[in-house]
Amino acid sequence: MVGAATIATFLVAGLASLFMAWSIGAGSSGSTPFAPAVGANAISVMRAGFFVGILGFAGAVLQGQGVTDAVGKELVLFPAGGGLTALAATVGLLIAGLLVAAGIFTGYPIATAFTVTGAVVGVGLALGGQPAIDKYRVIVTMWVAVPFVGGGVAYVVARLLRAEGVSERLVVPLLAGIVGVIIANVKFVLLGPAGESQSIARTAAQSMPGSTLADMAIVSLALGGIAALALAQDMANDETAGQRHFLLVLGALVAFSAGGSQVGLAVGPLAPLLSEFSIPTVALLLGGGLGLLAGSWTGAPRMIKALSQDYSSLGPRRSIAALIPSFAIAQTAIFLGVPISFNEIIVSAIVGSGYAAGGSGVSRKKMVYTVLAWIGSLVLAFVVSYLGFLAVDAVL
């Protein structure tokens, strides 16, 4: 039987998790997905905040389990049967949430993944756990690669769209086809058997004769072709309107992916406690999704404005170039179970697409401060969480 003190601590941890979810919704997952679309005047700030909240909630419920398990169970190694306690989860979540909230109100995008990872590792090691070196290698590799991959792809796509002699009516639908292929291979919990996720391509291939891999390729190409043809027809009617429609679809996909990745940063520390309290994972994801939704609706507009206007004055083409790699990177992180910062993804892509236009509108001073904030948030979260847990544990 669970004691009253443990239940009380778990409730406090749950409130801390909701606060963290609100901070994430108001910051990274709520502000970054539609920032390029707002910068391109494809959607207003308030509408972007409204839709990103709904899409983030859907992504949290349908794709959030992988990163949730990684944050809660894979960042620190414990002996069999061990894990983060309710007290450790509370301390880590409160410290990370306060740092992220400070970033929101100062106008600088603190990297949520850096902050939460540092906090969880800090309280985990203070609790007596061992560092998960192999997992850290995967995480750090992806964190370091994101600016180069995201910014590089955005730069190449933006240059292609700006190149003379290249028809946008051909290139943009081709990009839509690539996005369609990615969507076909994204895993959704509703398509898989109980407790598992499955992609549209695999689900369709299972009902077809022959090789599963070959059938998956056929389904992927078919979905990509449908997306390309649909956008080509839209642009044939009105090229500018077609580009903006594509931009809004990309923003929606990134918002959905943000929910699937970022919810794990808020509720992941509670994952080791679920068995003790007989709470299903889906209930945890629903609660985290509602926290993201509330944050997106109440706090995201400030950061949307900061990202869309302060980093680069974007047009539709550069915005499209920024969102395509952002969507692909986000889904890769979800697939690998890596906590990823959407601020890092989007900011890198925005800068990459901005430099394709000669660096116009890109604030280098702002970028230096942002990178320092990312690094500082990781180190500060780790140190404060480690020392904070030791202090609280000694008192209690």
Side-chain angles (χ1 to χ4, degrees):
M1 182 176 180
V2 180
T6 302
I7 293 176
T9 306
F10 178 78
L11 291 176
V12 174
L15 292 175
S17 177
L18 284 175
F19 173 68
M20 188 68 213
W22 179 89
S23 299
I24 294 172
S28 57
S29 75
S31 63
T32 52
F34 276 104
V38 173
N41 296 317
I43 190 172
S44 68
V45 171
M46 296 308 296
R47 286 186 178 182
F50 175 77
F51 285 114
V52 79
I54 295 174
L55 292 164
F57 173 79
V61 176
L62 296 177
Q63 286 196 308
Q65 184 169 354
V67 176
T68 296
D69 289 340
V71 171
K73 303 175 182 179
E74 299 176 13
L75 293 180
V76 181
L77 303 178
F78 291 94
L84 291 179
T85 63
L87 179 61
T90 302
V91 173
L93 285 168
L94 282 175
I95 291 173
L98 289 172
L99 290 174
V100 173
I104 294 170
F105 293 113
T106 58
Y108 285 92
I110 298 296
T112 310
F114 291 10
T115 305
V116 174
T117 300
V120 171
V121 173
V123 296
L125 295 183
L127 189 62
Q130 298 298 315
I133 301 299
D134 291 340
K135 187 67 175 181
Y136 300 162
R137 289 196 185 101
V138 175
I139 293 173
V140 172
T141 298
M142 190 155 192
W143 286 354
V144 173
V146 162
F148 299 99
V149 175
V153 172
Y155 176 86
V156 171
V157 173
R159 292 285 293 182
L160 180 62
L161 291 174
R162 292 174 58 85
E164 295 183 6
V166 177
S167 173
E168 289 188 9
R169 292 194 177 188
L170 174 63
V171 175
V172 176
L174 178 61
L175 294 173
I178 295 173
V179 172
V181 171
I182 296 174
I183 293 173
N185 291 279
V186 168
K187 291 185 177 182
F188 300 95
V189 69
L190 294 180
L191 298 179
E196 298 182 18
S197 301
Q198 192 164 275
S199 66
I200 296 173
R202 178 170 289 278
T203 301
Q206 289 176 343
S207 63
M208 300 167 63
S211 169
T212 300
L213 290 178
D215 291 339
M216 287 178 62
I218 293 172
V219 173
S220 300
L221 292 174
L223 187 56
I226 292 172
L229 291 173
L231 185 57
Q233 181 61 45
D234 192 15
M235 292 184 65
N237 296 330
D238 187 329
E239 184 171 335
T240 301
Q243 285 186 0
R244 291 188 174 180
H245 294 160
F246 183 37
L247 183 58
L248 290 174
V249 170
L250 288 172
L253 291 172
V254 174
F256 178 86
S257 302
S261 173
Q262 301 294 280
V263 72
L265 301 175
V267 302
L270 300 181
L273 311 176
L274 294 183
S275 59
E276 185 176 358
F277 290 91
S278 301
I279 298 175
T281 302
V282 66
L284 198 63
L285 296 177
L286 282 169
L290 290 173
L292 295 180
L293 176 66
S296 297
W297 284 359
T298 60
R302 176 185 175 90
M303 288 297 292
I304 291 175
K305 183 178 180 180
L307 284 174
S308 64
Q309 297 182 7
D310 291 350
Y311 285 94
S312 187
S313 301
L314 301 178
R317 291 178 296 182
R318 284 161 60 184
S319 299
I320 289 171
L323 286 177
I324 288 176
S326 299
F327 170 55
I329 291 172
Q331 286 298 326
T332 300
I334 292 173
F335 176 78
L336 296 175
V338 172
I340 195 75
S341 167
F342 266 76
N343 282 328
E344 184 187 15
I345 294 173
I346 291 287
V347 168
S348 300
I350 287 176
V351 172
S353 64
Y355 273 109
S360 60
V362 176
S363 171
R364 292 182 178 143
K365 182 178 180 181
K366 182 81 170 184
M367 288 308 307
V368 170
Y369 285 151
T370 298
V371 172
L372 291 176
W374 289 344
I375 298 172
S377 63
L378 173 65
V379 176
L380 184 63
F382 172 80
V383 173
V384 175
S385 296
Y386 184 90
L387 297 177
F389 177 77
L390 290 179
V392 172
D393 188 52
V395 173
L396 299 179

